[in-house]
Every structure is written in structure tokens, then in C-alpha cells.
């Protein structure tokens, strides 16, 4: 069975990273190779290639930017070399979303998308919103103006849409490179972004070069677009280097399962959202459940979102999701069906308040790298695509103005232009909905505020609420926290974590340094475990972090990092109390292999 294979692989592959009973980080971003004698005579030069625009990330925003750039070049009859690098083994392989989408950006980018066979066909036919109690549900009216109203939208398997966008990009002349992980930002002497470098391969888990070691490749560009999605590790670096963010982002984790259900229970086009149980009244989060027919399959996309500003370190988002499915109104839709997919991904919840400066010398941020998810609507695909298109237009305009010999451009007009579109106008109108749930009244106060000031006032109030402290700073010590009781999985409706991880297709080369790096190897035990009860063992939705008996002293515990289980959700990079965990890219092609998630 794959489960036992994962378990055995998980344990055996970690032993070389344990020294004297303590986990030891070996990644070169922490352990400098310049001071490591094993690297003394290794040839470290890299090959390079030059583009007009390099795009990091093959999701909706990055591919939309690429397509729009080529459209503009074709119209102007100009040569323009554009490439997209994507760390997944295939385009769409790391994409995970609900998803209900608005097609307005797609209509603009590719007006004949229906004729071209875009996998966008399941129109929303009926919908409901409810507050769940432990055994019942309280309906919430759905009418135009309610943020979650979805009349006219489409239910999609976003991974398939992204795969199709990749095909359209290639047809437009974009060079699309899956299985290529961008691992480093390159800079010119003046400090502007020069491009990116891909990751080195052939490094052992102990951090030493193997016989097959090869340096990555440099991609130089006049402009680099960072389209990595939420909490992209290179986007995080440029945000810090250029001091782009004035207000902290707040995040959530979205967990999703794909089910094939009893055809008699299937309602193609039905959309449902809930809040309330099993979460406490003061915890922001909720669920989605979408019925979609795809190639004759009666599918249900069911998921649960937990805001990462929670205080109780005993919170386990994965187990909250499993518990949610036991609600009578949810279980009756899934019983008799078969679960065929699982995954999880962090998402931006900061909205308008957290939008950073979007451009800098040599590049810009688009899509979820910039934070354009509208959490009140639970939608971001149309905003991501539009932001990529607006960035492309600003970049092309700047390239035309500066001429062919320019080395680097700063697409400053992109920032202004995107703020004049529906992307930012929507976020501004809904800016106070998310923080209104953070009062002592919890979701009750949030619903009242949203009704008064958004549904009826359209977000015109002259004030803007804040999000407070960063998510990682909101955990309380475990000694002050309430224990949370979670039911055991039954293997039919609810499942243990490793069974779920087996559905992701996740795989990483075994003999490579763990890409979940620790800035200080002592912090997990001395701080996280001692003060907060080891929350990384609970907030990770893939079983990457475990506290196990130390080989040096079995009365004590040590952290074990099962890096090959990682599904690239980035939750650990966000919620780690001391910000001691730094997620960096593993070798290209590693991670989940989602199929239409």
C-alpha cells in the first residue's frame, strides 16, 4: 500500500538530518557553501539565457500576463521573448482552488474561449448560504449584493483551466517551462532585479554535492513578473528587499477534497457556503461545497477555510475540516460516494489594506503574490488574470518607450492602472468585511457589519479597519489554551492525514536537503514545543512536522521534518510562531501532482 510506503519512506529518509538527537538543517540558504570544504573545488558557474520578460509561476495571473504580452507584440509586429517557469511537473499540477469563477477577465483576454474549448462549462444554477449549528443550519438570504452571491458564475476545476491557459500561451508564442523551480532572485549592480536562477540539482540530504551535481540556469530579463501565488518564496524576498509592504498580510488555509458522489444526489451547478460549526463564534472561517459535472462524472468539490489568525495552538485545520463533513446536512450529500482528491493551500485574506506597492526596478507582483484574493467573495481568479493583463500592458508600454537597448525597466504605471480597475475597487468596497469578524462578537458581529455597511452601504464608509498583529504573533501559550476534541476518522467520510496525503500524488527526490529550512535548529523544541505545544504538528495539512522521541535521550523529544510529504501550501512559513521556518523551493517537479483540483 502507498500509505505504508509513505510512512517507511518518511522515517528512513530523515535519519541523516539528525545529529546528537537534534534535527539539523543542511540547505545552502542556511549553511553557507563558501565555508563548507566539501564544496571547495566544485565548478559553480551557471549558464544563462536572456528574455524580454520572465514570469515566475504558471498560474492564472502569470499565464494571463504572458498571453497578453504576446498579443500586444503581435499587434505591434514587434519581437518579444517571453517565458514562464513553473515548479510543478506539469502546468496546473500545483493549482488548487474551489473554484467558482467570474469570467470577465477571461472574456477580455480570450473572447472566443468557448470556441477554443476552455474547460469552463458548469454554470451556477442554484445556491445557498447557511450558518451551521452542531446539528442544524440557519439559512442566510442570498440576493444580489451579498458578496457570496454567484448568479452568472461558473464552477470549474481550476487546474484544468490553468492547463488550458498554458496551451493558449504556448500557441501565442510563449516559452512555457514546467518542472523548472525558480530558486533565487538575481540583481544588477544598481540593485534592480536582473532575473532569476533555477535551483541546483544533485545535492545530497547532508548538503554535499553528489556525482551528478549541476548548477541551475540563469534567466535574465528586462522585467521579471512574480506570479508565484500566495506567500511565494521569491515574492517574499522582493517584498522585503524593496520594502513594498506597509501593512501585514493576514492569511487562511484552504483544504479541499474532490468526491465522486451518488448520481441520484448530484445537483450540477449547485453552490453552497457555510460558516459557524465546527468553528467557535470568534474563529473566522467557513466551507464551500460545489456540484460539478465533468466528463459525465457527478463530482462534488468540498472544502474548508480556516483563518490563520487563530489563537489556540491546539487548533488543527485538517481535523476541523474532517469534523465539518460529519454535519448531517453535509454528510448526506457525500455518503455513498468516493473521495478521489485532496489538497490544501494557504490563501491571502488581507484584502485592500494589505496590498503592497506592486512594482520595483526590474519587476512587479501580480495575482496572489500581490494579494488580490477577494476573501469576502471567496474569489481571486478573475482578479489574478486581470492583474497579469494590466501588468503586461504597462510592461509592454514601458519597453516600447525605452527602446530595445534598455537593460531594465520599472513598470510604474502598472500600480496606478490596476488600482483603477475592478481588481482593487472590489477589494476597497469589501475591505472591512474580513476585519469586522475579529471583534468579541465573532461571525455574528461580522454578519451584522457586512449587512449594514456592504450589502446596503456598498462599502462607502469613510473608515478602514485593521487586521491587528501578524498571524504568527496571535498564538497563546498552550497552558492557557482550551483542548479541542476531534473524533477519530471512520475511513468512509472522514480520513486520517496520511491517507489524505496519498491522494495528492506528492513526491520529492529523497536524497536532497529538506526545503523546509530552520533558521535556528533549537527553536522548535525550546520554544514551539515548550511554549505552544508544537503547533506545527497540527497546522500542517500534510504531516510534515512531527515531534518524536530523541535518539540521544528518549525522555525528550525532537522535531522530525518529513519534507517529502510537503504539498507546498506555505502554512508553516506563515504560522510558525517565531518565523523560524523558511520555505524554499525543492528540486523542480517535486510536490503535489494535483489533477484538476
Amino acid at each position: 500500500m502507498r500509505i505504508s510506503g509513505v510512512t517507511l519512506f518518511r522515517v528512513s529518509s530523515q535519519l541523516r538530518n539528525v545529529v546528537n538527537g537534534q534535527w539539523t538543517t543542511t540547505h545552502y540558504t542556511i549553511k553557507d557553501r563558501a565555508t563548507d570544504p566539501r564544496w571547495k573545488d566544485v565548478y559553480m558557474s551557471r549558464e544563462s539565457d536572456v528574455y524580454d520578460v520572465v514570469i515566475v509561476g504558471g498560474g492564472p495571473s502569470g499565464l494571463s500576463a504572458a498571453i497578453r504580452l504576446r498579443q500586444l507584440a503581435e499587434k505591434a509586429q514587434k519581437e518579444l521573448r517571453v517565458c514562464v517557469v513553473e515548479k510543478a511537473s506539469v502546468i496546473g499540477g500545483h493549482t488548487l482552488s474551489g473554484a467558482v469563477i467570474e469570467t470577465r477577465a477571461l472574456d477580455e483576454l480570450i473572447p472566443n474561449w468557448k470556441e477554443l474549448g476552455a474547460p469552463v462549462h458548469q454554470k451556477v444554477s442554484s445556491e445557498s448560504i447557511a450558518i451551521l449549528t452542531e446539528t442544524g443550519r440557519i439559512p442566510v438570504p442570498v440576493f444580489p449584493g451579498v458578496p457570496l452571491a454567484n448568479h452568472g458564475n461558473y464552477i470549474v476545476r481550476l487546474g484544468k483551466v490553468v492547463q488550458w491557459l498554458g496551451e493558449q500561451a504556448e500557441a501565442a508564442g510563449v516559452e512555457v517551462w514546467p518542472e523548472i523551480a525558480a530558486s533565487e532572485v538575481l540583481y544588477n549592480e544598481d540593485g534592480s532585479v536582473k532575473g532569476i536562477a533555477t535551483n541546483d540539482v544533485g545535492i545530497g540530504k547532508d548538503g554535499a554535492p553528489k556525482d551528478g551535481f549541476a548548477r541551475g540556469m540563469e534567466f535574465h530579463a528586462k522585467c521579471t513578473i512574480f506570479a508565484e501565488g500566495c506567500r511565494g518564496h521569491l515574492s517574499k524576498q522582493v517584498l522585503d528587499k524593496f520594502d513594498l509592504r506597509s501593512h501585514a498580510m493576514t492569511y487562511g488555509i484552504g483544504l479541499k477534497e474532490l468526491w465522486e458522489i451518488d448520481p441520484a444526489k448530484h445537483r450540477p451547478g449547485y453552490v453552497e457556503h457555510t460558516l459557524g460549526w465546527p468553528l467557535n463564534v470568534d474563529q473566522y472561517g467557513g466551507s464551500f461545497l460545489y456540484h460539478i459535472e465533468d466528463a459525465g462524472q457527478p463530482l462534488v468539490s468540498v472544502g474548508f477555510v480556516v483563518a490563520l489568525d487563530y489563537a489556540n495552538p491546539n487548533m488543527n485545520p485538517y481535523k476541523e475540516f474532517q469534523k465539518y463533513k460529519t454535519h448531517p446536512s453535509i454528510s448526506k450529500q457525500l455518503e455513498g460516494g468516493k473521495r478521489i482528491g485532496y489538497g490544501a493551500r494557504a490563501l491571502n485574506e488581507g484584502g485592500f489594506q494589505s496590498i503592497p506597492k506592486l512594482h520595483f526596478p526590474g519587476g512587479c507582483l501580480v495575482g496572489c503574490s500581490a494579494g488580490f484574493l477577494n476573501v469576502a467573495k471567496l474569489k481571486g481568479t478573475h482578479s489574478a488574470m486581470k492583474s497579469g493583463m494590466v501588468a503586461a500592458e504597462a510592461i509592454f508600454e514601458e519597453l516600447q518607450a525605452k527602446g530595445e537597448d534598455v537593460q531594465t525597466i520599472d513598470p510604474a504605471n502598472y500600480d496606478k492602472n490596476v488600482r483603477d480597475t475592478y481588481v482593487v475597487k472590489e477589494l476597497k468596497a469589501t475591505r472591512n468585511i474580513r476585519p469586522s469578524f475579529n471583534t468579541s462578537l465573532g461571525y455574528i458581529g461580522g454578519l451584522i457589519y457586512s449587512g449594514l455597511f456592504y450589502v446596503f452601504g456598498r462599502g462607502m464608509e469613510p473608515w478602514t479597519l485593521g487586521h491587528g498583529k501578524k498571524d504568527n504573533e496571535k498564538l497563546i501559550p498552550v497552558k492557557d489554551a482550551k483542548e479541542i476534541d476531534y473524533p477519530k476518522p471512520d475511513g468512509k467520510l472522514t480520513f486520517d492525514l496520511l491517507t489524505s496525503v496519498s491522494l495528492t500524488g506528492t513526491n520529492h527526490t529523497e536524497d536532497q536537503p529538506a526545503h523546509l529550512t530552520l533558521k535556528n535548529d533549537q527553536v522548535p523544541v525550546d520554544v514551539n514545543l515548550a511554549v505552544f505545544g508544537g503547533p506545527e504538528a497540527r497546522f500542517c495539512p500534510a504531516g510534515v512536522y512531527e515531534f518524536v522521541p530523541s535518539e540521544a535521550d528518549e525522555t525528550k523529544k525532537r522535531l522530525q521534518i518529513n519534507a517529502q510529504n510537503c504539498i507546498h501550501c506555505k502554512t508553516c512559513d506563515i504560522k510558525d510562531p517565531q518565523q523560524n521556518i523558511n520555505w524554499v523551493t525543492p528540486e523542480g517537479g517535486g510536490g503535489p501532482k494535483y489533477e484538476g483540483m
Side-chain angles (χ1 to χ4, degrees), residues 239-407:
L239 280 163
D240 290 342
K241 179 176 176 61
F242 295 104
D243 195 22
L244 302 178
R245 196 184 294 288
S246 56
H247 296 282
M249 178 61 72
T250 187
Y251 300 89
I253 178 173
L255 305 103
K256 175 183 174 179
E257 294 177 352
L258 190 64
W259 284 68
E260 185 172 3
I261 66 166
D262 181 349
K265 298 179 180 181
H266 199 230
R267 301 166 60 187
Y270 173 65
V271 165
E272 174 180 317
H273 295 98
T274 73
L275 65 158
W277 188 90
L279 297 177
N280 293 329
V281 69
D282 61 350
Q283 173 61 50
Y284 186 80
S287 77
F288 60 86
L289 190 150
Y290 308 147
H291 287 237
I292 177 174
E293 184 175 329
D294 186 52
Q297 283 184 292
L299 302 178
V300 165
S301 173
V302 58
F304 201 74
V305 177
V306 176
L308 289 175
D309 62 353
Y310 63 81
N312 189 339
N314 293 314
M315 165 74 75
N316 187 313
Y318 174 81
K319 291 184 177 180
E320 294 287 341
F321 178 28
Q322 299 306 304
K323 189 174 181 180
Y324 150 78
K325 290 185 295 175
T326 66
H327 192 276
S329 69
I330 307 304
S331 61
K332 69 180 182 181
Q333 299 185 61
L334 302 176
E335 286 171 346
K338 178 184 179 182
R339 190 178 66 150
I340 59 175
Y342 166 77
R345 185 70 169 91
L347 50 92
N348 300 298
E349 293 188 350
F352 179 77
Q353 294 90 318
S354 301
I355 297 174
K357 182 180 176 183
L358 300 171
H359 69 96
F360 44 87
C364 61
L365 301 164
V366 298
C368 286
S369 281
F372 286 138
L373 174 72
N374 188 328
V375 70
K377 297 174 67 172
L378 207 58
K379 289 177 187 61
T381 302
H382 68 294
S383 297
M385 293 180 67
K386 180 63 175 177
S387 70
M389 294 157 61
V390 175
E393 290 160 2
I395 290 166
F396 188 78
E397 178 185 38
E398 190 71 10
L399 288 171
Q400 291 290 89
K402 293 295 176 62
E404 294 182 1
D405 295 331
V406 67
Q407 181 187 41

Side-chain angles (χ1 to χ4, degrees), residues 495-548:
F495 304 90
D496 67 84
L497 185 54
L498 286 181
T499 301
S500 295
V501 174
S502 72
L503 292 176
T504 66
T506 295
N507 186 52
H508 296 87
T509 301
E510 176 182 0
D511 192 15
Q512 65 173 306
H515 63 281
L516 295 315
T517 69
L518 302 179
K519 298 174 185 176
N520 184 321
D521 292 334
Q522 279 70 48
V523 164
V525 171
D526 293 351
V527 179
N528 290 9
L529 183 62
V531 178
F532 300 104
E536 53 266 63
R538 289 181 286 277
F539 60 57
C540 174
V544 170
Y545 301 96
E546 289 183 287
F547 286 94
V548 299

